[in-house]
Amino acid sequence: MIKILNGIHETVAYDYFPTIKLYHNMEAEDYPLHWHTAMEIIMPVRKEYTVIIDDTAHTFGEGDIFITPPGTLHRLIAPQPGPDGDEGERLIILLDYGLICNVKGMDSLIHSLHPYALISRKEYPELNGQLSSYLNEISREYDNRIAFTEACIYSLIIHFFVAIGRANFNASEKFPGITSSKQHEYIEKFMDVCNYITDHCTENINVDDLADLAGFSKFHFSRLFKQFSGTSCYEYLTQKRIAHAESLLIQPNISITEVAMRSGFGSLSTFNRIFKTVKHCTPSEYKRMNQAPKKATL
């Protein structure tokens, strides 16, 4: 169950460790629309499970791995109990993004997973098998909690995302037709660019600035950035600004106009238009959804 829900914003109640929560969910309980700053990893053990993002249901089966990045609005739908009353079982991990965000390359990797990632046994058998082994080992460590458990879990989480990153950022696939050394040089360059965008997204930066940073012409940079990230530089920057705006909108004493200006948008109308396109609601609606209901007074 969700223990702390303020409107649609869940504050994850970590228990044994301050940055990770793991539980074996075996209840036929649906979870309402919500979001959190944690990364969520779900792997069904018995029966299928469903995650709804942007009104689209994603149903996945036993052994499949579903990753929901931080800040994503989503709902969880449990399977119906069988004739024997079995409600299935899911391994659910909630991970503080701060645990890995400072590791080089992780920020661009997490962005590439938006709005979700599904690593199924059927479509990605080798990667799924590798990731499943990490998750099962994390589960064993978490449940037994012996000496150095937290350090062991941390190392397994790094291995988990490194495996995804290597599969997702294969240099020869991202930048074909050039030498191997150049391919890896480009990967490093664009990871640095993505980190720079994350750190400076609220400032007045543009594609020309980023192209200069990477040492490419604007045209060449734009083409290579899309090859690397799967999205345009403008879209990547916009997503980062929207994520920053979301963190400000949940604060009660900041106006919508101030949020727009502090998030790097040139005008309130631009902010309203882009926010609604990305989040499917206006900033005002988002702010209201994240407000806790007022308690009745006698």
Side-chain angles (χ1 to χ4, degrees), residues 16-161:
Y16 300 111
F17 306 111
T19 56
I20 184 170
K21 180 180 180 69
L22 180 150
Y23 57 103
H24 304 273
N25 180 280
M26 293 180 282
E27 300 174 352
E29 179 182 8
D30 296 341
Y31 295 88
L33 186 69
H34 66 287
W35 69 276
H36 38 66
T37 58
M39 177 96 60
E40 187 166 33
I41 304 169
I42 302 175
M43 183 175 71
V45 178
R46 297 193 319 277
K47 294 198 166 192
E48 61 186 21
Y49 204 58
T50 299
V51 178
I52 298 178
I53 297 174
D54 292 336
D55 295 324
T56 300
H58 306 276
T59 300
F60 46 101
E62 297 176 6
D64 294 341
I65 298 169
F66 195 95
I67 303 173
T68 306
T72 303
L73 282 168
H74 61 291
R75 294 167 53 205
L76 304 179
I77 308 296
Q80 292 297 313
D84 58 355
D86 182 19
E87 298 174 351
E89 179 182 352
R90 283 70 54 187
L91 177 65
I92 299 180
I93 296 176
L94 292 166
L95 169 69
D96 184 349
Y97 174 55
L99 186 66
I100 61 170
C101 68
N102 291 324
V103 178
K104 185 174 181 180
M106 287 298 169
D107 190 69
S108 53
L109 168 61
I110 300 309
H111 184 89
S112 73
L113 302 179
H114 279 277
Y116 69 91
L118 174 58
I119 301 112
S120 68
R121 291 190 301 172
K122 182 178 180 180
E123 191 170 0
Y124 305 101
E126 185 175 344
L127 178 60
N128 176 274
Q130 187 178 6
L131 298 181
S132 297
S133 67
Y134 290 140
L135 293 180
N136 288 326
E137 184 61 27
I138 289 171
S139 177
R140 284 190 289 270
E141 286 286 338
Y142 191 94
D143 292 339
N144 293 322
R145 292 192 290 279
I146 58 177
F148 299 102
T149 285
E150 189 173 3
C152 183
I153 289 175
Y154 177 80
S155 68
L156 289 165
I157 288 169
I158 295 297
H159 281 297
F160 179 90
F161 284 104

Side-chain angles (χ1 to χ4, degrees), residues 193-259:
V193 169
C194 289
N195 289 335
Y196 182 88
I197 292 174
T198 299
D199 293 339
H200 300 274
C201 65
T202 62
E203 301 171 17
N204 185 28
I205 57 176
N206 53 47
V207 177
D208 293 292
D209 299 326
L210 298 172
D212 288 341
L213 178 68
F216 295 113
S217 69
K218 180 179 178 180
F219 173 79
H220 198 44
F221 170 81
S222 297
R223 181 174 60 83
L224 291 175
F225 188 93
K226 190 160 189 177
Q227 285 179 222
F228 173 78
S229 67
T231 186
S232 73
C233 183
Y234 172 77
E235 290 169 336
Y236 192 97
L237 175 59
T238 297
Q239 288 285 352
K240 292 298 179 183
R241 285 174 170 169
I242 290 294
H244 184 79
E246 288 177 272
S247 69
L248 296 178
L249 286 169
I250 65 173
Q251 300 180 34
N253 299 320
I254 302 181
S255 69
I256 303 297
T257 301
E258 186 177 354
V259 169

